[in-house]
Amino acid sequence: MASMLLSRQLTCCLQQNSRLLVFGHRYISQAAAKIDVDFDYDGPLMKTEVPGPRSRELMKQLNGIQNAEAVHFFCNYEESRGNYLVDVDGNRMLDLYSQISSIPIGYSHPSLVKLLQQPQNLSTFINRPALGILPPENFAEKLKESLLSVAPKGLQQVMTMSCGSCSNENAFKAIFMWYRNKERGHNDVTKEELESCMINQPPGCPDYAMLSFMGGFHGRTLGCLATTHSKAIHKLDIPSLDWPIAPFPRLKYPLEDFVKENQQEEARCLEEVEDLIVKYRKKKKIVAGIIVEPIQSEGGDNHASDDFFRKLRDIARKHGCAFLVDEVQTGGGCTGKFWAHEHWGLDDPADVVTFSKKMMTGGFFHKEEFRPNAPYRIFNTWLGDPSKNLMLAEVIKVIKREDLLNNATHAGKALLTGLLDLQARYPHLISRVRGRGTFCSFDTPNDATRNKLITIARNKGVVLGGCGDRSIRFRPTLIFKDHHAHLFLNIFSDILANFK
């Protein structure tokens, strides 16, 4: 009875305040929500430098509570919409970074607003369950409508998590369990294993490793940090594990001018992968799995050819290693395919694929044989959040209805073409332009120039992100279109022309 009363009260409140739920913008009727509503602003509008006075005041407040030195500025999310982020000083900026690549269909999308207005969804947002033991009645159904509707080829098992780090961390655990189960011949666990694992010793805690690549980023939890090699500040002072680190190809651009050199570079890296697997085996440390990003994102937007990844997958199979593809930043459609590794054309699918960011929830897909053989082995209190699955299902509907994968390809081409033109005009400032879909980037001469360009762009109304030692990356939403690309290119062309 109390639940019904709460639902009625909230429904009434939602109906009476529907204008507030669309964050101060025009009312979105049910009919309007069914069509492609243009909810974007028409361009940047700057009132102060960024961060402005209100942001600086709030930074000071927050820094008294926690280290807030990483904060760029404070945001007014009620006024942000579409591809535009508004800050607390009233500055409206074209956001090409989208919360570190985690906003799929723009700010305050009408379809998601409508989802929140529906009374039958209230309980999902209010009551967050411990999914591993007390899931809601419709949990399996909602997984099928959301994650499993876009599952990578050959992967129909999924575990949800809350973030990218815990997705990779638990994927590592699933791989280690799979490998150990193979080794013991799928027999029962011994008493010695049960006792030794409690004191962190073999055979209960076997000496396994994950092979990773220099420049990779897979998260900040303890196991993930052992596979993260993008910036020293991420790893400093944290004990780590003796796991193998292979070189990742450093391609030369333009690609068509360096075909032979790039092939040799990729062959060198693949040979090192095999050598490391054998070397560690001789040290009695088994490489149980290989983890790789389709595009090394935090490490500098480092690309490799589709052929490189196909050969890497073959090496993993040859040596009995699990093949884990980290799609935390590349997944969700920004490369023009829902999963970036689809571009590779693998005959044998990846064994495990991790996700987060644009997918609204974290987690990992995996083959049947990586399924835990007992309860509580892959487990935590929340194991994700059903409200995020509900939102993801709506996001997927929008992606399909508005053909946003093709849009990412089309808008990405406009962006990349424009960047190549700027590179030709300002080669002293821009080099190594690269990208797939809207997942684009370029290099600057050094870190100082990169940071200065990002700051100037922000004060001109464009939010950009850095990665690696000197790269600028683009991570727009899936509703970023050609005209947004041209708007940015015009602004950035002026910045480069006047850069000193």
Side-chain angles (χ1 to χ4, degrees):
M1 186 69 182
S3 175
M4 290 175 62
L5 180 61
L6 174 64
S7 179
R8 290 195 190 108
Q9 290 173 336
L10 285 170
T11 301
C12 180
C13 180
L14 287 171
Q15 290 171 342
Q16 290 173 355
N17 295 285
S18 58
R19 290 180 186 271
L20 294 178
L21 274 172
V22 289
F23 309 106
H25 306 306
R26 69 176 184 272
Y27 174 71
I28 306 296
S29 69
Q30 285 192 350
K34 292 178 182 177
I35 63 174
D36 184 8
V37 179
D38 182 10
F39 65 107
D40 227 7
Y41 287 107
D42 56 6
L45 178 65
M46 303 304 292
K47 298 180 178 180
T48 72
E49 66 175 359
V50 182
R54 178 59 177 156
S55 266
R56 291 196 297 271
E57 177 188 339
L58 292 171
M59 285 177 178
K60 186 176 180 181
Q61 290 180 22
L62 184 59
N63 207 46
I65 300 168
Q66 58 182 236
N67 186 319
E69 294 175 34
V71 173
H72 296 171
F73 53 88
F74 280 75
C75 303
N76 181 344
Y77 290 107
E78 287 76 17
E79 291 298 323
S80 302
R81 72 185 197 219
N83 288 284
Y84 289 88
L85 179 60
V86 178
D87 75 358
V88 292
D89 289 284
N91 298 299
R92 186 171 77 212
M93 294 161 275
L94 178 63
D95 188 0
L96 304 187
Y97 196 37
S98 66
Q99 308 291 324
I100 321 179
S101 195
S102 66
I103 301 290
I105 54 173
Y107 295 99
S108 308
H109 195 285
S111 292
L112 294 180
V113 173
K114 183 182 176 184
L115 190 76
L116 284 164
Q117 291 174 328
Q118 294 171 352
Q120 68 268 27
N121 295 330
L122 293 177
S123 177
T124 303
F125 286 95
I126 295 169
N127 303 304
R128 187 176 184 180
L131 282 170
I133 57 171
L134 297 167
E137 180 181 8
N138 63 356
F139 185 51
E141 174 192 346
K142 293 302 178 184
L143 284 177
K144 291 176 182 176
E145 290 178 6
S146 56
L147 288 165
L148 291 173
S149 74
V150 291
K153 174 186 173 184
L155 308 182
Q156 286 301 310
Q157 296 281 303
V158 66
M159 289 290 298
T160 50
M161 295 288 161
S162 295
C163 69
S165 292
C166 58
S167 301
N168 280 324
E169 194 84 22
N170 282 282
F172 293 173
K173 289 166 59 179
I175 287 170
F176 293 145
M177 292 172 191
W178 161 80
Y179 200 96
R180 184 63 182 134
N181 202 31
K182 281 198 308 177
E183 280 198 327
R184 68 166 66 96
H186 304 277
N187 294 318
D188 291 340
V189 176
T190 66
K191 181 183 178 185
E192 183 184 13
E193 287 177 303
L194 292 171
E195 291 176 349
S196 60
C197 76
M198 297 302 291
I199 54 172
N200 303 339
Q201 296 295 315
C205 291
D207 205 1
Y208 293 159
M210 292 293 299
L211 183 145
S212 55
F213 289 88
M214 187 59 68
F217 181 92
H218 302 290
R220 300 170 191 266
T221 51
L222 203 61
C224 291
L225 269 181
T227 62
T228 287
H229 319 287
S230 49
K231 292 185 178 69
I233 196 66
H234 299 153
K235 297 170 67 73
L236 184 66
D237 300 331
I238 313 299
S240 197
L241 301 160
D242 177 22
W243 288 0
I245 308 162
F248 193 82
R250 179 71 173 177
L251 301 184
K252 294 182 178 181
Y253 291 83
L255 296 176
E256 59 271 18
D257 292 349
F258 296 97
V259 174
K260 184 177 179 180
E261 292 89 339
N262 288 338
Q263 287 175 345
Q264 291 172 341
E265 169 68 357
E266 291 188 343
R268 178 187 71 85
C269 294
L270 290 168
E271 183 179 357
E272 184 67 15
V273 168
E274 287 216 72
D275 288 347
L276 282 166
I277 293 171
V278 173
K279 176 184 174 182
Y280 270 71
R281 189 177 294 139
K282 289 178 179 176
K283 292 169 56 175
K284 300 194 182 305
K285 186 184 288 284
I286 301 296
V287 176
I290 297 173
I291 183 169
V292 70
E293 299 162 89
I295 301 169
Q296 285 190 334
S297 306
E298 297 294 329
D301 267 29
N302 305 314
H303 293 245
S305 71
D306 297 340
D307 185 62
F308 171 84
F309 290 105
R310 287 192 292 266
K311 288 175 177 174
L312 182 63
R313 206 280 169 262
D314 291 342
I315 289 171
R317 187 189 310 105
K318 173 183 173 182
H319 291 277
C321 309
F323 189 53
L324 193 170
V325 180
D326 179 347
E327 290 257 23
V328 167
Q329 192 158 154
T330 54
C334 48
T335 67
K337 291 187 181 292
F338 205 92
W339 303 106
H341 76 270
E342 292 180 63
H343 290 283
W344 304 342
L346 293 178
D347 293 328
D348 181 13
D351 296 306
V352 183
V353 174
T354 52
F355 57 85
S356 190
K357 292 190 181 283
K358 279 185 171 66
M359 298 299 290
M360 313 297 285
T361 182
F364 60 97
F365 296 100
H366 59 88
K367 290 181 177 176
E368 181 82 25
E369 57 261 39
F370 290 82
R371 181 185 175 111
N373 60 0
Y376 298 104
R377 302 206 73 193
I378 302 292
F379 192 87
N380 56 52
T381 298
W382 280 328
L383 286 174
D385 184 341
S387 69
K388 302 302 182 186
N389 299 338
L390 190 66
M391 294 174 73
L392 175 60
E394 190 61 33
V395 166
I396 292 168
K397 289 177 185 176
V398 172
I399 290 172
K400 292 177 178 177
R401 183 174 70 237
E402 300 183 11
D403 198 19
L404 294 184
L405 296 185
N406 280 330
N407 178 71
T409 300
H410 202 272
K413 183 178 180 180
L415 177 60
L416 193 65
T417 299
L419 290 173
L420 287 168
D421 178 63
L422 292 177
Q423 177 179 260
R425 291 160 55 195
Y426 304 101
H428 60 295
L429 293 174
I430 294 181
S431 63
R432 301 182 76 242
V433 168
R434 54 206 183 270
R436 199 159 219 171
T438 57
F439 208 97
C440 297
S441 58
F442 63 84
D443 283 2
T444 62
N446 50 56
D447 177 57
T449 301
R450 184 260 305 275
N451 294 343
K452 187 175 180 181
L453 283 170
I454 289 174
T455 299
I456 294 172
R458 191 169 63 197
N459 286 321
K460 295 288 186 181
V462 177
V463 180
L464 299 170
C467 62
D469 297 328
R470 55 194 178 101
S471 299
I472 288 179
R473 59 176 155 171
F474 296 83
R475 299 294 185 269
T477 71
L478 297 175
I479 61 167
F480 175 84
K481 299 184 183 297
D482 287 26
H483 69 271
H484 297 111
H486 295 306
L487 175 61
F488 157 73
L489 291 164
N490 288 335
I491 293 171
F492 204 60
S493 178
D494 290 342
I495 290 171
L496 295 172
N498 297 300
F499 188 81
K500 296 177 182 178

